Amino acid sequence: MSADSSPKVAMVAGETSGDLLAGLLLDGLREKWPGVASFGIGGPRMQERGFDAWWNSERLAVHGYSLELVQKLLGILKIRRQLRQKLLADPPDVFIGVDAPDFNLGLEGQLRAAGVRTVHFVCPSIWAWRAERVNKIRASAGHVLCIFPFEPDLLAKHGIDATYVGHPLARVIPMQPDKAAARAMLGLGAGDEVLAILPGSRSAEVAYLARPFFLAAAQLLGQRPELKIVVPAVERQRGRIEAVARQCGVADRVQIVSGQSHAVLAACDCTLIASGTATLEAALYKRPMVISYRMHPISWRLMKRKQLQPWVGLPNILCGDFAVPELLQDAATPQALAGAVTQWLDAYTRQPDKIHTLEQRFTELHESLLRDTPKLAADAIEKILAKG
């Protein structure tokens, strides 16, 4: 590529989160090179920015079990093989794998071996578990774009070049959320005591967490009959969540809304929440939370063996201690969950300093993640291309 020409950029993004990240990166690339050509596997946000999707990112999503799962995986492997052949036949100036490490790292390694520059956007969480993955990253990615500030130093210790570009959620969520406006949107009163329940967006998460969460809600409603409970549900899980709420006897006491998780987090006083990206969103909204997770016992034992830190929730990992409670697996009983939520709700009147301290910590966390992600990511790509 000449100094005054626009690059050809191949990208692969899987699922909605990868499409969002890749869309931000494309914003930065298009600002720097209006004529940039981008192609590969992507979703609607990428396509809105002129991305040529040879396959839609939904093709990489894995749902279902048994024969359906096997057929899906075989189809994904076929797509990866065909994509590799196309990219090797007409190499791009750079290949950027956006998240989806199981798909992207292997492809990046093959392309890099053939002389294609490779970048991986979002460092796999080797600091939390599966530390052995660092060897695959070193072999596959010429550069890593990181969304957490501690990751570049960690990767440097393993001989991997990396750039911190900030977390995109920090740009989306306001530093000072408008609780009153969010409550008005959801039909809640300014003086209501509000609990948000987020049992996850995946089928397995809802299967393991919805029941203990709603049984905890039943206990809380028995103690605090005026408590308002709001549950944001992705459309594909709403029916299952409603069914579990009925089974637990709280269907007429909880408000289930389609999506709107950000409005619900902005409106609540506390959230009972499944471990995952949603916990970081709750922290950016400066909300007290109780983090929980449950899974199949065998999966739990395997994960515990590979866990590298005492924390599971992202807010605690980033704060470096148990800023908020975690109740996991066998500890996630309805009684324990209800008790932990009660402590936060009571703190508003009995220990307001505790709430204020947490809000300050989460504000500092927000500031540490807030960067101009599109520009920083595009600048890093420009430096990689300039190396020749």
Side-chain angles (χ1 to χ4, degrees), residues 173-177 281-288 348 355 358-359 362-364 366:
I173 296 172
M175 193 65 69
Q176 295 180 317
E281 293 174 313
L284 295 176
Y285 276 104
K286 326 299 184 297
R287 297 299 180 249
Y348 278 93
I355 300 294
L358 185 73
E359 290 172 345
F362 285 166
T363 297
E364 292 168 2
H366 197 156

Side-chain angles (χ1 to χ4, degrees), residues 162-230:
T163 301
Y164 173 54
V165 298
H167 200 294
L169 280 173
R171 289 166 55 86
V172 172
I173 296 172
M175 193 65 69
Q176 295 180 317
D178 191 337
K179 180 183 278 191
R183 289 189 170 201
M185 181 189 305
L186 295 168
L188 299 166
D192 287 341
E193 186 174 61
V194 181
L195 171 67
I197 291 183
L198 283 78
S201 59
R202 298 185 177 94
S203 297
E205 291 171 336
V206 173
Y208 279 102
L209 290 173
R211 182 172 178 80
F213 278 17
F214 283 131
L215 289 174
Q219 292 190 26
L220 288 163
L221 287 166
Q223 301 158 6
R224 318 170 90 96
E226 300 303 314
L227 179 67
K228 306 295 184 184
I229 299 178
V230 188

Side-chain angles (χ1 to χ4, degrees), residues 78-90 107 111:
K78 182 179 179 181
I79 289 173
R80 187 166 67 171
R81 183 172 64 254
Q82 292 175 343
L83 176 61
R84 182 184 67 242
Q85 291 170 349
K86 284 171 71 77
L87 295 179
L88 290 177
D90 184 14
L107 177 60
L111 294 174

Side-chain angles (χ1 to χ4, degrees), residues 141-152:
H143 201 92
V144 179
L145 302 177
C146 301
I147 61 174
F148 294 123
F150 61 85
E151 291 174 328

Side-chain angles (χ1 to χ4, degrees), residues 60-381:
L60 303 188
V62 177
H63 304 291
Y65 301 93
S66 62
L67 180 59
E68 180 187 352
L69 176 60
V70 171
Q71 290 173 334
K72 185 75 173 180
L73 290 174
L74 289 174
I76 290 172
L77 290 174
K78 182 179 179 181
I79 289 173
R80 187 166 67 171
R81 183 172 64 254
Q82 292 175 343
L83 176 61
R84 182 184 67 242
Q85 291 170 349
K86 284 171 71 77
L87 295 179
L88 290 177
D90 184 14
D93 293 302
V94 61
F95 174 85
I96 306 172
V98 184
D99 212 358
D102 291 325
F103 184 99
N104 278 324
L105 288 178
L107 177 60
E108 288 165 21
Q110 293 168 332
L111 294 174
R112 191 181 186 191
V116 177
R117 302 176 186 88
T118 58
V119 175
H120 195 78
F121 190 7
V122 182
C123 177
S125 51
I126 54 172
W127 34 265
W129 72 307
R130 292 184 67 181
E132 73 280 358
R133 230 180 199 181
V134 72
N135 298 317
K136 185 95 179 250
I137 298 169
R138 184 172 51 241
S140 302
H143 201 92
V144 179
L145 302 177
C146 301
I147 61 174
F148 294 123
F150 61 85
E151 291 174 328
D153 287 344
L154 173 63
L155 292 173
K157 293 176 182 177
H158 296 279
I160 302 169
D161 291 333
T163 301
Y164 173 54
V165 298
H167 200 294
L169 280 173
R171 289 166 55 86
V172 172
I173 296 172
M175 193 65 69
Q176 295 180 317
D178 191 337
K179 180 183 278 191
R183 289 189 170 201
M185 181 189 305
L186 295 168
L188 299 166
D192 287 341
E193 186 174 61
V194 181
L195 171 67
I197 291 183
L198 283 78
S201 59
R202 298 185 177 94
S203 297
E205 291 171 336
V206 173
Y208 279 102
L209 290 173
R211 182 172 178 80
F213 278 17
F214 283 131
L215 289 174
Q219 292 190 26
L220 288 163
L221 287 166
Q223 301 158 6
R224 318 170 90 96
E226 300 303 314
L227 179 67
K228 306 295 184 184
I229 299 178
V230 188
V231 185
V234 297
E235 201 56 44
R236 65 179 178 275
Q237 299 298 341
R238 179 163 182 156
R240 176 177 289 189
I241 288 171
E242 290 174 340
V244 177
R246 285 194 298 272
Q247 293 164 11
C248 296
V250 295
D252 60 342
R253 301 294 307 278
V254 301
Q255 178 183 349
I256 300 175
V257 299
S258 294
Q260 302 183 73
S261 61
H262 282 198
V264 172
L265 288 172
C268 75
D269 295 303
C270 175
T271 177
L272 175 57
I273 191 166
S275 179
T277 303
T279 63
L280 180 60
E281 293 174 313
L284 295 176
Y285 276 104
K286 326 299 184 297
R287 297 299 180 249
M289 72 190 82
V290 177
I291 297 173
S292 185
Y293 211 78
R294 297 180 71 186
M295 60 181 68
H296 191 281
I298 294 175
S299 299
W300 174 252
R301 286 196 292 272
L302 290 172
M303 193 204 80
K304 286 293 288 181
R305 269 207 301 259
K306 295 187 175 185
Q307 187 179 348
L308 302 178
Q309 300 194 49
W311 318 285
V312 168
L314 278 170
N316 289 337
I317 290 171
L318 293 168
C319 288
D321 65 30
F322 285 100
V324 297
E326 296 182 1
L327 293 170
L328 311 174
Q329 204 64 7
D330 294 340
T333 65
Q335 294 81 4
L337 295 169
V341 169
T342 296
Q343 288 186 33
W344 280 125
L345 293 176
D346 285 347
Y348 278 93
T349 53
R350 299 179 185 177
Q351 297 174 284
D353 287 349
K354 180 179 178 181
I355 300 294
H356 180 64
T357 297
L358 185 73
E359 290 172 345
Q360 283 187 314
R361 296 193 73 179
F362 285 166
T363 297
E364 292 168 2
L365 171 59
H366 197 156
E367 290 169 346
S368 75
L369 298 177
L370 184 59
R371 298 290 186 276
D372 188 345
T373 300
K375 182 179 186 306
L376 291 174
D379 287 348
I381 299 300

